[in-house]
Amino acid sequence: MIYLELFISFLKIGLFGFGGGYAMLSLIRHEVVEVHEWISATEFTDIVAISQTTPGPIAINSATYIGYVATQNVWGSIIATVAVSLPSIIIMLIICRFFLKFRDNKYVGYVMSGLKPAAIGLIAAAAIMLVNTATFIDYKSISLFAAAFIAALRFKANPILLIVLAGVAGYMLY
Amino acid sequence: MDEPASTAIKNNEAIERIFKGIRPVVVALIAVPACNMLIKAGLKLKPLAIAITATLAICLLNVSPVIVMIAAGVIGVLSSMYSQNAKQQ
């Protein structure tokens, strides 16, 4: 039953997606490209590109898109989007309720001391896994990558602007 | 005309050229926050070791990121308790 699989997959992504949208990319990729093969690796890259230029968090945008592609149905979108947001809604409600108790709990701090660096690792993995022959076709791709990397790291360039410029460059170069 | 709009967009030759330019830039836009967070974490041994191990486990050993996060939480607790004990003695 594809709707149930979709729901469970995105529930997992929502539940373990510590560290924000970029860290969730590794989880999303693992579930939808490798385990269930709902979309190809190239399609995944395109979804990330679209998600970065449209408003809203990557996890929500990709859930909506992948839900539709997997089922060819708007219900797929709705189920995946609800599933990916559900864990954080529930967890935040619990935290709001018991905030004072949790805030000073040393074990929460201990767990976070492991989760924070692991989230960085997940982001790095997401970037590395996107390096393939579909994303890097030739030296022009490598130049675009290097230019964007320096612009974003050194000059804190706006990601949307960089994607728009990359699109213009792609149209002219290829 | 009866093909869905999404397919029509995807098969457009101009769109494909645009995406060829965008794809490598997306990789850069994901790599940069990882670098920034690593710098912000202070490049200390424990976080660096956990981050690198997590990356290798996912990329090379194909471990599920869910498992990686659970393991990282457990390691966080154990290592913090160990260093607390070491401090007390």
Side-chain angles (χ1 to χ4, degrees), chain A residues 39-106:
Chain A
I39 57 167
S40 70
T42 312
E43 259 184 300
F44 180 72
T45 318
D46 296 350
I47 292 172
V48 177
I50 294 165
S51 300
Q52 279 178 321
T53 42
T54 50
I58 286 179
I60 303 279
N61 292 341
S62 51
T64 310
Y65 185 101
I66 294 160
Y68 186 85
V69 174
T71 60
Q72 291 298 315
N73 190 315
V74 175
W75 284 108
S77 289
I78 294 170
I79 285 171
T81 310
V82 168
V84 83
S85 356
L86 205 55
S88 40
I89 293 173
I90 295 169
I91 291 168
M92 284 316 288
L93 281 176
I94 296 171
I95 290 178
C96 288
R97 187 99 170 69
F98 302 103
F99 181 63
L100 291 174
K101 260 191 198 168
F102 270 118
R103 193 173 52 176
D104 298 322
N105 187 305
K106 64 176 182 181

Side-chain angles (χ1 to χ4, degrees), chain B:
Chain B
M1 273 308 281
D2 46 333
E3 63 178 341
S6 62
T7 327
I9 291 173
K10 260 203 294 200
N11 296 340
N12 186 310
E13 182 253 355
I15 298 287
E16 183 48 35
R17 276 157 63 189
I18 290 169
F19 268 99
K20 273 183 182 163
I22 290 176
R23 282 179 199 131
V25 169
V26 168
V27 180
L29 289 178
I30 298 168
V32 167
C35 294
N36 280 333
M37 285 168 83
L38 211 57
I39 295 165
K40 222 171 148 188
L43 298 171
K44 282 185 234 95
L45 180 67
K46 183 183 148 182
L48 210 56
I50 293 178
I52 291 170
T53 311
T55 307
L56 295 180
I58 296 168
C59 292
L60 296 181
L61 305 175
N62 213 7
V63 178
S64 159
V66 171
I67 306 288
V68 170
M69 289 308 262
I70 294 171
V74 173
I75 289 167
V77 171
L78 293 181
S79 65
S80 303
M81 282 167 73
Y82 179 79
S83 55
Q84 282 299 103
N85 270 347
K87 250 183 233 165
Q88 276 164 8
Q89 276 162 10

Side-chain angles (χ1 to χ4, degrees), chain A residues 144 161-171, chain B residues 17-18 20-22 25:
Chain A
L144 284 170
L161 178 69
L162 286 177
I163 288 188
V164 171
L165 290 175
V168 174
Y171 186 80
Chain B
R17 276 157 63 189
I18 290 169
K20 273 183 182 163
I22 290 176
V25 169

